[in-house]
Amino acid sequence: MRPDTPAAHTTEAERLLRTAAQYPGDREPLYLQAAAHRELAGDREGATALYDELLAGKPANPHLIRALKAANLWEYGHEAEARAIIDGLRRTKPTDATAWEITAETLEAHDELEAAESTLTEATTLLATLPPEDLPHPTRSLITTRHRIRRMLALPHDAWDDRADRLHTGTVGLDELHDPKRLWSLGSSDPTELQAEIARLRSELGTYRTALSRPFPVAVLHWPERELDELLAAYPELEAEYPTYRAHLTDIEASLRELAAAGTPNLGIVRATVPSYEAFAASEATSPSNADLLPQYATTLAARARATAWPPARAAECWCGSGRTYGECHGGEAQE
């Protein structure tokens, strides 16, 4: 059950910090989750302390941590310090799309719409250099969020807004989804208007929004061939899940495409290892031969920031480790 009270969020933050002490390799993502729970518990100073502790070392995602810290600081009265961090991030020009988006959403939350729009424009120009079909989810989200902010500012469409429209796959267009006047319909007593708004909201829930999917993606397990051989030698009960290595790879790609076709955002692949899986089974007080444990293991790895976004760009190396590009390997199957 998810925490829903300040005390429960505090308890969950402490549990995550204890886990981080046990698994130093996962310290950064676990600390970020703990900081989020402290924010939800109202302990914003405690959250800032965790961000500072991470930044005192050599974090893997310093720009993301600074963006989160700025958002948190502004919420409890440290506007000047938050602005200084945001200005520093913009000067640094990070390649992390999520850091840019959190920064823009912080500005938006404090009615700095023009600054949010210029931040998103700067980020989009810097990061959206690939063909539209090859853009990763966080970059697509930047373009979509920029479209929404520009609609709020009543700015005319530009080339990036046109691209956002092309990337959008929902049944309701972005111009309608991002119409600022929609708020008025929520107070309407006209059943037709209310039904139309419900349809728009349902469509909006299916769009890519980094803020909604930031904790971790929906991830599928990938066992490298050597690891899979070791797994099945130790736990032959799992052969029904993995009849052959080739079938395993085919199932991964097919499962992810099916999820994507259903509108599931922020998909990823996590690489499994036997020692890690056995340790996870021990922590759950169950046997590694229990097939029901596999999706839980995948979710746990994803929550620890171990997931690689899917699909990769067609010119990038395929997720399976073959050494070929995704377009030549598993990505090529989409064209067959």
Side-chain angles (χ1 to χ4, degrees), residues 201-224:
L201 288 169
R202 284 175 174 166
S203 177
E204 188 170 16
L205 287 174
T207 63
Y208 288 148
R209 291 293 304 277
T210 297
L212 295 178
S213 57
R214 193 171 71 200
F216 51 85
V218 176
V220 176
L221 276 179
H222 170 216
W223 295 91

Side-chain angles (χ1 to χ4, degrees), residues 93-206:
K93 300 186 183 301
T95 57
D96 180 358
T98 305
W100 281 102
E101 184 149 16
I102 292 170
T103 297
E105 288 176 346
T106 299
L107 292 165
E108 178 193 359
H110 296 278
D111 298 322
E112 301 276 353
L113 293 182
E114 290 83 1
E117 193 275 336
S118 65
T119 297
L120 290 164
T121 298
E122 185 178 354
T124 300
T125 305
L126 176 68
L127 301 179
T129 56
L130 294 171
E133 64 274 12
D134 288 341
L135 290 175
H137 161 64
T139 306
R140 292 184 181 213
S141 184
L142 273 180
I143 298 172
T144 302
T145 301
R146 179 181 180 275
H147 182 287
R148 179 174 58 78
I149 298 295
R150 288 173 62 81
R151 283 284 283 151
M152 293 175 69
L153 290 168
L155 296 174
H157 264 217
D158 62 8
W160 290 117
D161 291 324
D162 292 338
R163 180 174 292 193
D165 288 333
R166 292 195 298 272
L167 289 171
H168 179 64
T169 58
T171 55
V172 179
L174 282 185
D175 277 349
E176 186 173 357
L177 285 176
H178 294 164
D179 185 356
K181 296 179 181 178
R182 284 176 55 197
L183 292 175
W184 290 102
S185 67
L186 295 176
S188 172
S189 58
D190 185 338
T192 303
E193 289 186 9
L194 290 172
Q195 288 173 359
E197 181 59 19
I198 290 171
R200 286 191 290 264
L201 288 169
R202 284 175 174 166
S203 177
E204 188 170 16
L205 287 174

Side-chain angles (χ1 to χ4, degrees), residues 218-242:
V218 176
V220 176
L221 276 179
H222 170 216
W223 295 91
E225 188 169 13
R226 184 176 297 177
E227 294 290 339
L228 185 60
D229 289 344
E230 183 180 341
L231 177 76
L232 297 180
Y235 309 104
E237 300 89 342
L238 296 176
E239 287 182 1
E241 301 291 325
Y242 308 112

Side-chain angles (χ1 to χ4, degrees), residues 271-294:
R271 184 162 295 187
T273 67
V274 173
S276 170
Y277 179 58
E278 289 176 334
F280 177 72
S283 71
E284 295 293 313
T286 189
S287 168
S289 62
N290 180 5
D292 292 339
L293 195 64
L294 294 168

Side-chain angles (χ1 to χ4, degrees), residues 329 331-336:
C329 195
E333 296 175 5
Q335 310 302 321
E336 296 177 359

